[in-house]
Amino acid sequence: MSHADLDQTAKSILTDNDQGGYTIPTKGLYPYQWNWDSVFVALGFATFDQDRAWREIEMLFEGQWRDGMVPHILFRKDDPSYFPGPSVWGTNGGPIPSSGHSQPPVAASVVLDLVRGDRTGQALERATALFPKLMAWHRWYMTYRDPDGLGVIAVIHPWESGRDNLPDWDDALRAVEVRDIEPYERKDTSHVDPAMRPHKEDYDRYLSIVAACRKVGWDPAKVAETCPFFVADPGVTFIFLRANRDLLALAQQLGMGKEADEIRGWIARMESGAKALWNPDIQAHVALDLRTGKQTDGISCASFLAPYAGLTDTATMAAQRAHFDRMASKVRYMMPSYDPEHGCYEALRYWRGPVWAMINYMIARGFAEAGDPARAERLRNDTAALIETSGFAEYFSPESGAGAGGGTFSWTAAIWLTWASPSHVEQAA
């Protein structure tokens, strides 16, 4: 297919997955509105319909909980093709049935992009309406996912990280006692080859964490205190630090002085706290189990989000470049979701090795902003080549380029439109 044909296919995927103001990731496998999926989808819509881009984010925030949390799934209908559905979660925190935890908070960053790229004349008005909701969500993160003020953001469930079966969760997940779960039937493996999905023993523990949180009524303070899984994640930490910087820029543009001061405090706390994620033995930021104090020993794609978060000191950047080049010598396509030289790497199993387009986009943006356009361009070219070769798959093998997971995937289409498409790059030039 030509680049123009791929552009049109990507637009068609977004419009076909549109459910009337919100977009599902793909039909069958993911029939609901997912948090960070929707926000990346907004970037894609913004290339041809900015009003629809705003609507995507506005509809996501319709599901915001009373305590400020924005859930990772909004169950706007009960679709039997997906498990676990709303009855398993047992939540009552907001106006729409939902899951009980959040997902990587990219919304503030995309809202700022929409404001800066506005062609409608309505962006400041719509951003003003969203701003207090963004503030409430960010306060929730600072309060309940960093309850001890460490400056790193914990996840209470692998699903909250957005990178479900990452090897970094293995040890912490093994410590979760399998209990309080009813017999269940997974639906994901009826849509996708089981070899590309998490194992059953992982799912047993995923559901045990849900059961433990349901026992305390999803009270965020009690969850932070008692949840059997509580791991500081470089992915959410770096995405959130970037989101706070972007929320500060938005506050300044909107004249929100008091809020700007509050956000500056969050940024300072996190800039200091990020040091706790640095593993000196492997020269990378890694996950930290806050229940045991143990760091992980592997380098994930999230380790490369430090520049995206604005952490560009000399030592960090030197380590980033060295690891980038080492991994690039081991795989055909960058960026594998886990170090291909680590024993837990699997080229086609979800977050244990495959390449994800939206992660490449964030990593590349960080490298470009840090003054490293060559590595940023390598990521863009690889992402484009993967899509040209294997279509708009959920994720891709870093070795063969084969597409895997769900097909006609919304955020892959969105990343093509907003960043990876050569025709988009030519227009920007």
Side-chain angles (χ1 to χ4, degrees):
M1 296 175 70
S2 70
H3 296 150
D5 288 339
L6 284 167
D7 292 347
Q8 189 55 52
T9 299
K11 292 177 184 178
S12 296
I13 288 171
L14 296 188
T15 55
D16 288 349
N17 286 338
D18 184 351
Q19 303 296 296
Y22 73 93
T23 307
I24 59 173
T26 190
K27 293 175 182 175
L29 183 59
Y30 301 114
Y32 298 114
Q33 184 178 19
W34 259 258
N35 185 323
W36 69 330
D37 292 71
S38 266
V39 178
F40 284 117
V41 160
L43 285 174
F45 273 121
T47 65
F48 64 96
D49 187 344
Q50 289 195 327
D51 176 73
R52 181 61 184 77
W54 282 105
R55 187 66 185 133
E56 186 77 32
I57 297 174
E58 289 161 352
M59 286 198 73
L60 174 64
F61 276 85
E62 287 178 1
Q64 186 166 32
W65 280 24
R66 292 178 292 274
D67 61 17
M69 192 264 282
V70 182
H72 101 289
I73 307 174
L74 297 183
F75 300 113
R76 293 181 178 273
K77 56 188 177 183
D78 194 353
D79 191 317
S81 70
Y82 180 80
F83 177 86
S87 62
V88 175
W89 291 91
T91 64
N92 187 29
I96 299 171
S98 72
S99 59
H101 56 65
S102 200
Q103 241 186 349
V106 292
S109 297
V110 172
V111 167
L112 181 63
D113 284 345
L114 293 180
V115 168
R116 289 176 171 171
D118 181 50
R119 301 186 301 271
T120 68
Q122 300 176 347
L124 287 179
E125 178 182 352
R126 297 178 92 155
T128 299
L130 280 169
F131 184 82
K133 300 175 183 181
L134 288 164
M135 282 294 298
W137 190 21
H138 284 221
R139 285 193 191 106
W140 178 89
Y141 258 111
M142 296 302 294
T143 302
Y144 299 116
R145 294 299 184 261
D146 184 21
D148 296 324
L150 301 176
V152 292
I153 301 300
V155 293
I156 64 151
H157 196 294
W159 291 339
E160 189 166 56
S161 75
R163 292 151 37 247
D164 301 8
N165 66 330
L166 185 75
D168 287 355
W169 316 139
D170 288 357
D171 285 350
L173 201 59
R174 276 192 285 267
V176 174
E177 183 181 356
V178 176
R179 58 184 299 178
D180 300 322
I181 60 174
E182 301 292 332
Y184 66 92
E185 179 186 356
R186 288 174 62 176
K187 303 299 177 67
D188 58 321
T189 50
S190 66
H191 298 287
V192 174
D193 183 345
M196 300 178 184
R197 299 291 297 174
H199 295 288
K200 182 184 184 300
E201 54 265 32
D202 296 327
Y203 252 78
D204 288 347
R205 290 180 168 87
Y206 296 158
L207 294 173
S208 296
I209 297 170
V210 170
C213 295
R214 195 173 59 233
K215 271 190 172 181
V216 297
W218 293 102
D219 178 288
K222 292 178 182 177
V223 165
E225 181 182 351
T226 65
C227 183
F229 186 99
F230 203 67
V231 182
D233 173 25
V236 173
T237 296
F238 291 155
I239 288 169
F240 187 52
L241 177 51
R242 171 58 180 256
N244 278 327
R245 296 190 197 279
D246 291 339
L247 190 62
L248 174 59
L250 195 60
Q252 292 169 327
Q253 186 161 352
L254 298 178
M256 305 290 187
K258 181 180 178 182
E259 291 84 352
D261 287 341
E262 184 178 3
I263 298 166
R264 287 188 189 96
W266 298 341
I267 292 170
R269 176 168 140 193
M270 295 189 70
E271 286 178 336
S272 175
K275 298 180 180 70
L277 302 181
W278 182 257
N279 184 325
D281 294 333
I282 61 173
Q283 292 289 293
H285 294 93
V286 300
L288 171 64
D289 189 334
L290 294 176
R291 297 293 187 234
T292 66
K294 182 181 177 182
Q295 285 187 321
T296 53
D297 66 354
I299 299 171
S300 75
C301 55
S303 305
F304 292 91
L305 290 172
Y308 178 76
L311 303 178
T312 57
D313 59 276
T314 301
T316 296
M317 290 308 301
Q320 294 262 309
R321 288 190 289 267
H323 286 307
F324 186 103
D325 294 347
R326 176 180 59 80
M327 290 187 190
S329 73
K330 302 298 179 183
V331 297
R332 183 176 178 184
Y333 300 99
M334 292 292 277
M335 169 66 70
S337 47
Y338 215 65
D339 188 340
E341 294 191 294
H342 193 281
C344 292
Y345 165 81
E346 295 181 74
L348 276 175
R349 193 181 295 278
Y350 214 38
W351 286 97
R352 303 180 79 87
V355 177
W356 295 73
M358 81 295 182
I359 296 289
N360 275 6
Y361 163 74
M362 290 188 289
I363 296 173
R365 188 162 179 172
F367 272 111
E369 292 167 350
D372 191 342
R375 290 179 179 82
E377 188 67 4
R378 166 68 192 269
L379 288 165
R380 193 196 68 77
N381 288 336
D382 282 6
T383 306
L386 287 166
I387 294 170
E388 289 165 355
T389 301
S390 298
F392 296 96
E394 184 178 3
Y395 47 90
F396 305 87
S397 166
E399 298 172 5
S400 69
T408 59
F409 217 82
S410 292
W411 66 12
T412 309
I415 293 301
W416 171 268
L417 290 171
T418 197
W419 173 65
S421 169
S423 59
H424 170 76
V425 173
E426 290 159 8
Q427 291 167 10

